[in-house]
């Protein structure tokens, strides 16, 4: 299982500083949606230039113009780009076409999708490299949020998936047992007093 850091910071300088601390311990460096909205795709270019050996993940959350948006992100240095699972099939197909052209990959984020299992299977058939079983920050703060439900959906879908939302040192073993391809840790790393140590501990917990 790969480890992905979700960098939900708001400046390129902050992203570069965080990535420098945690890069030795992670496989995938994600530029969160707020960062890309604040700084643009130049942030993707900067991270890829600083860490050419890492998989750089641009969390665009594309909803329309899939081929166009994916194309400009890949040209900027992204290796993986997200499209929302609530987008139409044609948007996902277009994004996959751009990924194929660049030799990169599309991840379909299932945040907000009611039937994650069915949609996961559908978008995998359309060419997604993997899907993201994702509970956003707002959902995690709601009463009744359950990481176990997300994990069960990932297991049931039987397609390659990442898990984002609640990944921590206390939960990463369960994420791996569920068969996730990637564990996505955000606050557990960037919110830690020592992000490098937090990332190293998560890495060490992956068998």
């Amino acid at each position: 299982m790969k480890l992905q850091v979700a960098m939900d910071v708001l400046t390129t300088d902050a992203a570069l500083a965080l990535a420098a601390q945690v890069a030795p311990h992670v496989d995938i460096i994600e530029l969160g949606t707020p960062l890309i909205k604040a700084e643009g795709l130049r942030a993707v270019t900067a991270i890829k230039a600083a860490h050419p050996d890492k998989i750089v993940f641009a969390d665009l959350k594309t909803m329309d113009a899939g081929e166009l948006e994916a194309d400009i992100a890949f040209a900027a240095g992204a290796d993986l780009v997200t499209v929302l699972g609530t987008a139409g099939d044609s948007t996902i197909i277009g994004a996959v076409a751009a990924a194929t052209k660049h030799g990169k990959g599309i991840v379909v984020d299932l945040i907000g999708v009611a039937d994650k299992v069915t949609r996961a299977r559908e978008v995998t058939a359309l060419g997604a490299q993997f899907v993201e079983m994702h509970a956003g920050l707002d959902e995690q703060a709601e009463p009744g949020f359950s990481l176990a439900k997300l994990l069960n959906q990932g297991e049931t879908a039987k397609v390659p998936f990442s898990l984002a939302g609640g990944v921590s040192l206390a939960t990463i073993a369960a994420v791996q047992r569920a068969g996730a391809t990637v564990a996505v840790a955000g606050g557990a790393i960037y919110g830690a007093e020592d992000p490098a140590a937090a990332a190293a501990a998560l890495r060490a917990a992956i068998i």
Side-chain angles (χ1 to χ4, degrees):
M1 184 173 72
K2 289 184 169 63
L3 180 60
Q4 176 173 325
V5 59
M7 300 196 300
D8 289 326
V9 296
L10 295 179
T11 69
T12 301
D13 286 346
L16 286 166
L18 178 58
Q21 293 179 76
V22 305
H25 312 294
V26 303
D27 305 290
I28 304 172
I29 300 175
E30 174 190 336
L31 291 86
T33 313
L35 172 60
I36 294 174
K37 286 184 175 182
E39 292 282 70
L41 289 171
R42 63 179 178 272
V44 173
T45 304
I47 291 293
K48 189 62 179 179
H51 302 281
D53 58 324
K54 298 297 177 181
I55 298 168
V56 172
F57 183 114
D59 190 15
L60 295 190
K61 291 189 174 73
T62 290
M63 189 65 183
D64 190 22
E67 186 167 5
L68 173 61
E69 291 199 2
D71 186 67
I72 60 176
F74 291 132
D79 300 297
L80 296 171
V81 171
T82 54
V83 178
L84 290 174
T86 50
D89 287 358
S90 60
T91 299
I92 294 169
I93 290 167
V96 168
T100 301
K101 181 176 78 171
H102 288 272
K104 306 294 185 180
I106 293 298
V107 178
V108 174
D109 185 342
L110 300 177
I111 190 170
V113 173
D115 185 350
K116 288 180 170 58
V117 172
T118 297
R119 192 59 173 153
R121 293 168 177 165
E122 290 171 349
V123 300
T124 300
L126 294 176
Q129 187 165 321
F130 58 90
V131 299
E132 184 169 278
M133 295 292 175
H134 186 190
L137 295 173
D138 293 339
E139 183 181 348
Q140 291 177 56
E142 293 173 0
F145 165 68
S146 171
L147 178 66
K149 181 179 178 181
L150 271 184
L151 292 174
N152 179 260
Q153 290 167 328
E155 277 191 287
T156 302
K158 299 190 186 307
V159 299
F161 73 96
S162 66
L163 193 291
V167 173
S168 67
L169 199 54
T171 61
I172 196 164
V175 175
Q176 187 166 24
R177 284 195 301 271
T181 302
V182 179
V184 184
I189 293 177
Y190 67 74
E193 185 174 336
D194 185 341
L202 287 166
R203 163 64 67 198
I206 297 173
I207 301 169

